[in-house]
Amino acid sequence: MGMKQVIKSLDAFPRAEDHLLQKTQSGALVSVIGLIIMATLFVHELGYYLTTYTVHQMSVDLKRGETLPIHINMTFPSLPCDVLSVDAIDMSGKHEVDLDTNIWKLRLNMDGHIIGTEYISDLVEKEHTHHKHDDHKDHDEHSEQKIHLQNLDESTENIIKKVKEAIKNGEGCRVYGVLDVQRVAGNFHISVHGLNIYVAQMIFDGAKNVNVSHVIHDLSFGPKYPGLQNPLDDTNRILHDTSGTFKYYIKVVPTEYRYISKEVLPTNQFSVSEYYSPINQYDRTWPAVYFLYDLSPITVTIKEERRSFLHFITRLCAVLGGTFAVTGFVLNYLLYCSSSIDHCIHPHGWPIFFRPKSELLF
């Protein structure tokens, strides 16, 4: 046997006989249907190949000396901006009252429309200039209260009148910005704690009248990545004829998101549980909204990945080849049955789908 004959014997696509190449209407119909199916499956497989998926990995958090960014965007519909302050304290002992770096306040009317912008509360700033105090201590001595009230200057009294008028008009405040805190456990809270305790008493006539109803539009610990859902976004907590303290216990999980382009986005995700404590007439604390956070020692790495091109080609060949084989089988069955219906019925009454190879048209 010559070399040419050996090569011919390896041909996997022998030429069909002429009578098997006849074109029919049924063959055209099956061919069109098969092409539509193959095109649909091709588009599906191409989309499957181009779509990225994520892989999650965990490791020990080795970050040191970095800050933790806290993005806040909240509305207090029942408290004017002049009395609100953002305070922060952490386990290292650092305590900051009325943070004003990268924090802004928008004055809102009773309908929620913006009527002014403030960078820092003048009243809070003035009170901290004249009175350095710890917000969490009890200052309830009657004699000391008289001394402080006597020392209030005319400008402070005017601001107090202004705040009372704002409360009467239903003025609210939107607080937004970024807090950069140390990467240790701590808390930040938004309240009237920045005020001198006696000035606060003159404005509200008791802690029970401080309505800390709030709407959390956005609270996050870093930039957002695809698929991230922060559990406190769009949270509404509205109080009616009562007051109290809200506490949100937050577990921050350091996270790295690696895009398919190899770009790395450092951020954090978190879980939260909530506790509300109503105030009573014997409480000496003032209502506030606390966010108490702690950091997980585990870092989560989320990587975008795409399926390999060889995987795509393998699936594509299987899909297209399988569709071609099935349509060929259907066409054979239709043509074989068209010659005689008796050929397609088993003696027991069910269709015969498989015939000997010698009986098939191709």
Side-chain angles (χ1 to χ4, degrees):
M1 181 182 293
M3 182 61 66
K4 291 184 178 181
Q5 295 297 326
V6 173
I7 294 175
K8 285 183 178 181
S9 65
L10 299 176
D11 186 5
F13 307 98
R15 183 178 178 181
E17 298 180 10
D18 293 338
H19 72 278
L20 298 178
L21 300 178
Q22 283 185 325
K23 296 183 178 181
T24 62
Q25 290 183 350
S26 58
L29 178 62
V30 172
S31 298
V32 170
I33 295 175
L35 288 174
I36 293 174
I37 294 174
M38 284 189 284
T40 303
L41 295 176
F42 171 78
V43 171
H44 176 270
E45 288 298 322
L46 182 61
Y48 182 72
Y49 165 68
L50 296 177
T51 302
T52 59
Y53 64 97
T54 56
V55 176
H56 292 67
Q57 298 177 342
M58 292 187 296
S59 60
V60 176
D61 183 21
L62 301 178
K63 296 179 182 177
R64 294 184 298 175
E66 298 183 11
T67 59
L68 179 67
I70 305 176
H71 301 258
I72 60 174
N73 186 358
M74 298 177 60
T75 294
F76 289 81
S78 301
L79 290 175
C81 291
D82 283 322
V83 299
L84 280 179
S85 69
V86 182
D87 311 329
I89 185 171
D90 58 44
M91 290 188 65
S92 67
K94 187 176 181 181
H95 187 189
E96 297 182 80
V97 179
D98 196 46
L99 294 169
D100 57 4
T101 304
N102 297 328
I103 297 295
W104 284 264
K105 302 171 185 178
L106 298 178
R107 292 176 57 203
L108 308 175
N109 61 17
M110 62 186 307
D111 296 321
H113 299 141
I114 299 173
I115 57 176
T117 304
E118 295 188 21
Y119 182 71
I120 183 173
S121 168
D122 294 332
L123 178 59
V124 172
E125 183 180 35
K126 186 175 184 62
E127 288 304 315
H128 278 282
T129 301
H130 288 284
H131 308 290
K132 301 294 183 180
H133 64 280
D134 184 350
D135 297 316
H136 302 284
K137 292 182 180 179
D138 297 324
H139 303 285
D140 58 340
E141 290 82 357
H142 184 66
S143 59
E144 185 178 355
Q145 180 177 5
K146 286 184 177 181
I147 294 174
H148 280 280
L149 293 179
Q150 291 173 355
N151 290 337
L152 292 178
D153 56 28
E154 184 178 354
S155 61
T156 303
E157 292 179 354
N158 292 335
I159 294 177
I160 291 174
K161 293 179 181 179
K162 174 187 172 183
V163 173
K164 286 185 175 182
E165 186 68 21
I167 295 175
K168 182 179 178 181
N169 294 333
E171 194 172 305
C173 184
R174 186 162 187 169
V175 181
Y176 68 97
V178 180
L179 299 176
D180 288 314
V181 299
Q182 300 183 81
R183 290 183 64 87
V184 294
N187 78 78
F188 70 95
H189 53 277
I190 304 176
S191 64
V192 298
H193 291 170
L195 294 174
N196 179 277
I197 191 69
Y198 309 109
V199 173
Q201 185 70 30
M202 293 180 64
I203 293 175
F204 295 102
D205 191 26
K208 62 182 183 300
N209 297 321
V210 179
N211 189 338
V212 291
S213 297
H214 59 279
V215 179
I216 304 175
H217 306 287
D218 174 67
L219 180 72
S220 58
F221 291 79
K224 294 185 178 181
Y225 59 83
L228 175 64
Q229 293 184 344
N230 292 319
L232 284 178
D233 289 359
D234 301 321
T235 298
N236 291 267
R237 296 294 180 266
I238 306 299
L239 299 176
H240 300 283
D241 301 323
T242 185
S243 189
T245 296
F246 290 89
K247 292 185 178 180
Y248 297 96
Y249 297 91
I250 297 173
K251 192 70 172 182
V252 180
V253 181
T255 303
E256 284 187 348
Y257 192 89
R258 299 179 180 270
Y259 291 93
I260 196 73
S261 61
K262 306 303 181 182
E263 180 185 356
V264 179
L265 177 67
T267 184
N268 300 276
Q269 52 185 324
F270 67 93
S271 61
V272 62
S273 57
E274 179 182 350
Y275 176 74
Y276 170 71
S277 175
I279 197 169
N280 58 59
Q281 59 180 343
Y282 303 107
D283 286 337
R284 295 183 178 180
T285 59
W286 288 71
V289 180
Y290 285 86
F291 298 89
L292 302 98
Y293 56 88
D294 192 9
L295 281 84
S296 169
I298 300 298
T299 295
V300 175
T301 301
I302 306 174
K303 296 193 299 182
E304 287 185 348
E305 293 191 358
R306 182 173 291 156
R307 296 161 185 87
S308 68
F309 183 72
L310 289 178
H311 183 266
F312 167 66
I313 293 297
T314 302
R315 289 177 60 95
L316 191 61
C317 290
V319 167
L320 299 184
T323 304
F324 183 80
V326 170
T327 54
F329 168 74
V330 172
L331 181 59
N332 272 303
Y333 180 74
L334 292 177
L335 294 178
Y336 189 80
C337 290
S338 64
S339 61
S340 175
I341 191 64
D342 294 336
H343 294 170
C344 300
I345 304 298
H346 191 276
H348 294 290
W350 54 77
I352 299 177
F353 291 96
F354 298 98
R355 290 288 181 181
K357 186 176 181 180
S358 60
E359 299 182 9
L360 297 177
L361 294 181
F362 60 85

